[in-house]
């Protein structure tokens, strides 16, 4: 593990990113993309543009858009999957620890960072002696829930809003870019806390809500469409730090309103989405660990 952590994954990912931007000659595009499609099981019939010659470089191919009706958004359930992927874990948050895969946990506070002390986030005015987990719960009788979705290289790489909510704050953690493959996640404790990630926090009708995009090897580029100031895997940021940005201002008291299913951001290649949110005790997930899921399908409801 120590040897793997010493690998310069950020530098390698930046180099890979530059390689991805190199325009391929037209004659080479179909063989290169066809090899990728065959290796990772990509379904090009869902792509808005099926012609492989259209994609000038690997980066454009990774970030391909889907046909408008390829992913219908479920209207019956309050929380939908924000992306395609595989369900690694889900359930109630217990003892301020969250499972990244079965039996391997990470600290909730290490993952999200220190509490954001702003009135706009409606955090409960709980005594400081309460646990970090209890401080995030704003309404009596509610619980904190989590869901981890792993995006494989062959998946659709855009992610969307999982529910109707307001984004109040963004916290960017520059970090390592180790693989988040479930096999690797089993033997590196707190992997998600080591890796580069973008934490979006805010609130929905039941209280606290957060969506975190976790970077991985060759996925240094995390883009949030409404956040032009975000620059991930940049050499100007050192590991171990974090930088905050508030979407609440004198001119904008509401933050960024997001509708369920609305485009939110994208990865270059595959990675992981972690949802951590507050909901009443009768919230039920409609999932099985290890199942494949697609953007728009139900995660859970009341």
């Amino acid at each position: 593990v120590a040897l793997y952590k010493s690998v310069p994954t950020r530098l390698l990912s930046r180099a890979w990113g530059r390689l991805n931007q190199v325009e391929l000659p037209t004659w080479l595009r179909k063989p290169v993309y066809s090899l990728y499609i065959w290796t990772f099981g990509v379904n090009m019939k869902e792509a808005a543009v099926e012609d492989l010659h259209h994609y000038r470089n690997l980066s454009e191919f990774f970030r391909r858009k889907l046909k408008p009706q390829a992913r219908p958004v479920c209207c019956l359930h309050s929380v939908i999957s924000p992306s395609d992927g595989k369900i690694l874990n889900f359930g109630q948050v217990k003892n301020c620890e969250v499972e990244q895969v079965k039996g391997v946990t990470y600290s909730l506070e290490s993952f999200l960072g220190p509490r954001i002390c702003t009135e706009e986030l409606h955090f409960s005015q709980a005594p400081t002696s309460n646990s970090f987990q209890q401080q995030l719960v704003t309404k009596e009788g509610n619980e904190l829930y989590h869901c981890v979705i792993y995006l494989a290289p062959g998946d659709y790489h855009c992610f969307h809003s999982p529910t109707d909510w307001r984004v109040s704050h963004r916290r960017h953690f520059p970090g390592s870019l180790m693989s988040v493959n479930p096999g690797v996640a089993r033997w590196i404790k707190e992997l998600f806390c080591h890796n580069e990630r973008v934490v979006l926090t805010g609130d929905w009708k039941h209280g606290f809500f957060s969506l975190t995009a976790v970077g991985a090897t060759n996925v240094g580029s995390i883009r949030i469409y409404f956040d032009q100031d975000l620059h991930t895997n940049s050499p100007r940021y050192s590991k171990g730090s974090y930088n905050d940005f508030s979407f609440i201002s004198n001119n904008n008291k509401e933050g960024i309103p997001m509708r369920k299913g609305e485009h939110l951001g994208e990865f270059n290649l595959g990675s992981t989405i972690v949802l951590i949110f507050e909901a009443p005790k009768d919230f039920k997930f409609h999932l099985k660990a290890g199942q494949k899921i697609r953007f728009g399908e139900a995660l859970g409801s009341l």
Side-chain angles (χ1 to χ4, degrees):
V1 171
L3 183 64
Y4 180 53
K5 286 181 178 179
S6 69
V7 175
T9 50
R10 297 181 80 198
L11 185 63
L12 290 172
S13 296
R14 280 198 288 272
W16 176 256
R18 290 195 179 94
L19 182 64
N20 280 357
Q21 298 291 338
V22 174
E23 186 166 335
L24 296 175
T26 307
W27 62 269
L28 190 57
R29 293 175 190 176
K30 190 169 183 178
V32 169
Y33 302 146
S34 294
L35 178 62
Y36 187 92
I37 289 166
W38 177 79
T39 304
F40 297 111
V42 177
N43 182 3
M44 284 303 292
K45 290 183 179 178
E46 298 177 329
V49 180
E50 295 184 44
D51 181 10
L52 298 179
H53 296 104
H54 168 82
Y55 302 100
R56 294 172 297 176
N57 52 45
L58 280 165
S59 181
E60 283 190 4
F61 179 70
F62 293 149
R63 294 180 287 107
R64 65 193 175 277
K65 299 295 187 283
L66 299 182
K67 290 172 181 169
Q69 302 306 317
R71 297 288 186 276
V73 174
C74 176
C75 300
L76 301 176
H77 299 275
S78 51
V79 184
I80 61 165
S81 177
S83 66
D84 288 8
K86 178 182 179 182
I87 301 294
L88 294 190
N89 229 302
F90 63 93
Q92 279 190 23
V93 176
K94 296 179 181 177
N95 303 319
C96 296
E97 295 276 320
V98 183
E99 283 191 308
Q100 57 192 25
V101 291
K102 191 69 174 174
V104 181
T105 64
Y106 57 92
S107 158
L108 184 64
E109 187 167 7
S110 297
F111 182 70
L112 295 177
R115 206 178 109 192
I116 305 153
C117 295
T118 60
E119 293 178 8
E120 291 84 4
L121 285 190
H122 307 297
F123 281 127
S124 59
Q125 302 303 309
T128 54
S129 59
N130 279 5
S131 71
F132 182 81
Q133 178 179 334
Q134 290 170 319
Q135 291 172 22
L136 294 181
V137 176
T138 64
K139 297 179 181 177
E140 192 173 343
N142 279 2
E143 298 286 350
L144 207 60
Y145 297 86
H146 78 286
C147 182
V148 183
I149 305 167
Y150 167 70
L151 288 75
D155 287 328
Y156 167 58
H157 303 305
C158 295
F159 50 93
H160 300 246
S161 177
T163 192
D164 295 339
W165 65 306
R166 293 185 315 140
V167 184
S168 305
H169 187 270
R170 178 258 291 160
R171 176 169 281 162
H172 170 217
F173 289 85
S176 299
L177 288 168
M178 292 181 280
S179 172
V180 291
N181 182 287
V184 175
R186 285 188 186 93
W187 52 270
I188 299 185
K189 183 174 170 58
E190 300 214 328
L191 170 64
F192 294 165
C193 299
H194 291 300
N195 270 16
E196 181 141 11
R197 59 199 182 279
V198 176
V199 182
L200 300 177
T201 51
D203 59 276
W204 71 318
K205 61 183 177 182
H206 301 297
F208 174 79
F209 199 96
S210 73
L211 179 149
T212 302
V214 183
T217 308
N218 300 334
V219 197
S221 174
I222 301 169
R223 185 180 169 202
I224 304 297
Y225 294 137
F226 58 73
D227 188 354
Q228 301 303 313
D229 296 322
L230 176 65
H231 301 286
T232 56
N233 196 16
S234 169
R236 63 178 169 172
Y237 297 124
S238 59
K239 289 194 292 185
S241 63
Y242 63 83
N243 53 82
D244 287 339
F245 184 85
S246 175
F247 299 110
I248 302 287
S249 66
N250 291 333
N251 297 325
N252 178 15
K253 301 288 187 183
E254 295 297 312
I256 308 292
M258 296 297 300
R259 303 293 295 174
K260 185 168 69 172
E262 188 177 347
H263 274 87
L264 184 53
E266 63 188 35
F267 292 110
N268 266 328
L269 211 59
S271 196
T272 299
I273 296 279
V274 180
L275 302 179
I276 298 173
F277 58 93
E278 166 185 5
K281 289 181 179 179
D282 56 352
F283 182 86
K284 294 283 187 295
F285 283 103
H286 303 286
L287 302 171
K288 292 180 181 177
Q291 78 171 72
K292 289 286 289 179
I293 198 164
R294 305 205 301 178
F295 154 61
E297 293 178 348
L299 279 189
S301 62
L302 295 163

